[in-house]
Amino acid sequence: MKPVSFNTERRHLSAIFNGAIKHGLLASNPFALVPGAPVPRAAPKAISKASIVAYIDWLGSARQLDRRGRHVDVVPPQWFWRTVLKTLYLTGMRKRQLLGLVWDDLNFDEQTIYLSDASSKTRRGWHIPLPAALAPELLLLRTRTVEATDEQLGRRQVFCLPLF
């Protein structure tokens, strides 16, 4: 039996015996002497800051040789994934907000990003600062998106992997 299951059973049986004591059927609870099983701590959900920074740096330079001996990205399109991770890391936005981001939400002149109410957990929209370290990568993404689509960006999704 897993420790969590054991502790649940122990608590339930203890509650039953406490009821018997309350009604005068028993003098003491034998489960009062049974200790709970130690439950191992779960691994932290978050990736360490150092690990994410190291991975973003790795995405900037990781290459491998293909069958023809050419250097290619390990995780294609690597520049795209680097921009995705950097955006999440530097802005703190949620995945849903990142996926809901459209080009009209980015204001490079005012250095802001509008997080829309449509993609917000709380259903409200607000502006956040556009980090200076992220702006050049988003501008490169914008240039490559324009080249891939030959159309106005406007309400087009910022992070659209099928384009690349």
Side-chain angles (χ1 to χ4, degrees):
M1 180 181 275
K2 291 186 178 181
V4 172
S5 300
F6 173 81
N7 290 338
T8 301
E9 293 289 328
R10 186 184 66 76
R11 271 194 317 275
H12 289 160
L13 289 170
S14 184
I16 290 170
F17 278 89
N18 282 338
I21 292 169
K22 184 178 177 181
H23 287 75
L25 301 173
L26 286 174
S28 66
N29 183 345
F31 284 93
L33 302 174
V34 178
V39 178
R41 291 200 110 129
K45 289 184 179 181
I47 299 171
S48 72
K49 185 176 184 177
S51 294
I52 193 74
V53 168
Y55 188 66
I56 289 170
D57 289 343
W58 177 82
L59 281 173
S61 61
R63 302 284 183 267
Q64 66 185 8
L65 291 175
D66 68 1
R67 293 181 192 167
R68 296 181 182 144
R70 295 178 298 183
H71 288 276
V72 295
D73 289 346
V74 176
V75 186
Q78 210 153 291
W79 63 270
F80 178 84
W81 291 116
R82 178 180 160 88
T83 305
V84 167
L85 286 178
K86 241 180 145 171
T87 302
L88 289 169
Y89 177 71
L90 293 174
T91 65
M93 70 176 67
R94 291 182 167 89
K95 180 178 70 171
R96 181 177 173 174
Q97 292 169 316
L98 179 115
L99 295 174
L101 207 59
V102 296
W103 286 105
D104 282 347
D105 294 337
L106 299 176
N107 188 329
F108 291 98
D109 295 330
E110 294 180 16
Q111 296 293 301
T112 61
I113 300 172
Y114 177 69
L115 299 178
S116 165
D117 56 345
S119 61
S120 169
K121 178 180 170 182
T122 59
R123 296 290 179 218
R124 66 178 183 86
W126 67 94
H127 288 87
I128 62 170
L130 173 61
L134 181 61
E137 300 206 26
L138 289 173
L139 287 168
L140 175 63
L141 176 59
R142 184 172 71 174
T143 301
R144 289 182 173 181
T145 302
V146 167
E147 291 169 358
T149 61
D150 283 334
E151 61 185 57
Q152 288 295 95
L153 299 179
R155 300 300 303 162
R156 179 177 274 281
Q157 185 181 15
V158 173
F159 296 100
C160 184
L161 180 60
L163 289 177
F164 310 108

